[in-house]
Amino acid sequence: MKSCVTISLVPSLQGGPWILWDDLTTSCRKANELGFDAVELFTEGPSAGDPGELGTLLEENGLALGAVGTGAGKVLHGWSLTDPGAEIRQKAKRFISEMITFGAMFDAPAIIGSMQGSHGNGVSRGDALKYLTEALEELGEIASKASVKLIYEPLNRYETNLFNRFNEAAEFLDGLSTMAVTLLADLFHMNIEETCLADAIRTAGSHIGHVHFVDSNRRAAGMGHIDYQPVMAALAEIGYDGYLCAEALPYPDSQQAAEQTINCYRQCTLSD
Ligand code: LER
Ligand code: MN
């Protein structure tokens, strides 16, 4: 397994669940100094820094791009894949498609989290799932052509009413014809929804493509009450060799949250 830390390049969302908040150059340097293998980016859209800057910074700092988040489409523009309006759904799809292409330049998958939206507000559950199916088939095909995966993230009940639990999301993906979509195990969301984190990981094993490594209170791993030993054992059992990516609140500040994460990651992967 490999370590990864989130960088937000959207200052207006300060206080959100991302660890590093400086400009791209400073954040990449910090990630490298702390010993992270990769960074996950949360950006306003399909670019980061000046043209060419991201590639140079990744190389200079020995970092990979672990993933790119697409949530800005929802939080900055209000778009989602299950919006009642066909035009908004189209904008959401176009935005994610651009983010897939952006991530793929660095072999990184895009994450669909809050862009999945919810049913209600005039959209039945059946219609919302139809829209989500169509979008994942289409976007999965785009990801596949770009030789990357597309990551779908089940969220807790306060953020979506589509899929909150891993086994339901895995069953849903099994019904799709695209093979490009994997699941994101965000331990914060799972702590709210699952009976047992380790069992949920084992059940959906073959689907897991990314992990948000965070604690029960959305602080850095080790600052809440998740017991990481059984979680790590389950990830090892399913043969997971992807990223443990810190998507957590910058509490008490970015530096301490990043240090706490890498220390917990090292403890958790000692025998890796
Ligand atoms: C995104 O990775 C996530 O976990 C969501 O909670 C964002 O709202
Ligand atoms: Mn997440």
Side-chain angles (χ1 to χ4, degrees), residues 70-80 83 95 114-118 159:
T70 65
K74 171 83 175 150
V75 285
L76 299 183
H77 302 288
W79 302 329
S80 93
D83 191 275
F95 184 79
S114 47
M115 282 292 269
Q116 67 193 274
S118 287
E159 295 192 33

Side-chain angles (χ1 to χ4, degrees), residues 153 155 184 186 189 212 218 247:
E153 180 175 21
L155 303 174
L184 198 163
D186 182 316
H189 296 302
H212 277 160
R218 218 166 204 184
E247 184 194 63

Side-chain angles (χ1 to χ4, degrees), residues 57-152:
L57 285 171
L58 292 174
E59 201 176 315
E60 277 175 7
N61 289 289
L63 295 165
L65 185 62
V68 294
T70 65
K74 171 83 175 150
V75 285
L76 299 183
H77 302 288
W79 302 329
S80 93
L81 295 174
T82 53
D83 191 275
E87 230 172 86
I88 303 284
R89 295 196 300 275
Q90 198 53 37
K91 283 184 178 164
K93 262 196 291 193
R94 196 173 317 127
F95 184 79
I96 295 169
S97 160
E98 288 166 4
M99 292 303 294
I100 292 171
T101 308
F102 168 53
M105 290 195 289
F106 305 92
D107 295 325
I111 298 169
I112 297 179
S114 47
M115 282 292 269
Q116 67 193 274
S118 287
H119 65 79
N121 191 23
V123 179
S124 67
R125 179 169 178 84
D127 279 346
L129 295 185
K130 185 168 78 83
Y131 299 149
L132 185 65
T133 300
E134 285 164 5
L136 291 184
E137 295 286 15
E138 209 175 296
L139 294 166
E141 186 62 17
I142 291 168
S144 190
K145 284 200 175 122
S147 305
V148 284
K149 294 287 185 189
L150 177 63
I151 303 174
Y152 174 71

Side-chain angles (χ1 to χ4, degrees), residues 168-241:
E168 297 161 359
E171 234 174 79
F172 173 67
L173 292 193
D174 283 336
L176 301 182
S177 50
T178 174
M179 303 297 281
V181 186
T182 65
L183 285 183
L184 198 163
D186 182 316
L187 303 181
F188 162 73
H189 296 302
M190 292 175 74
N191 175 68
I192 294 171
E193 298 298 341
E194 304 292 346
T195 309
C196 169
L197 301 194
D199 284 351
I201 288 168
R202 274 189 216 98
T203 314
S206 61
H207 287 288
I208 296 180
H210 198 63
V211 172
H212 277 160
F213 187 61
V214 52
D215 221 316
S216 51
N217 46 12
R218 218 166 204 184
R219 291 180 182 170
M223 295 179 101
H225 58 68
I226 288 181
D227 179 3
Y228 287 90
Q229 197 279 329
V231 170
M232 295 305 296
L235 287 170
E237 221 174 283
I238 64 164
Y240 180 71
D241 61 0

Side-chain angles (χ1 to χ4, degrees), residues 31-44:
N32 177 19
E33 275 161 22
L34 287 160
F36 283 97
D37 298 311
V39 292
E40 178 184 311
L41 285 182
F42 188 84
T43 60
E44 282 179 16

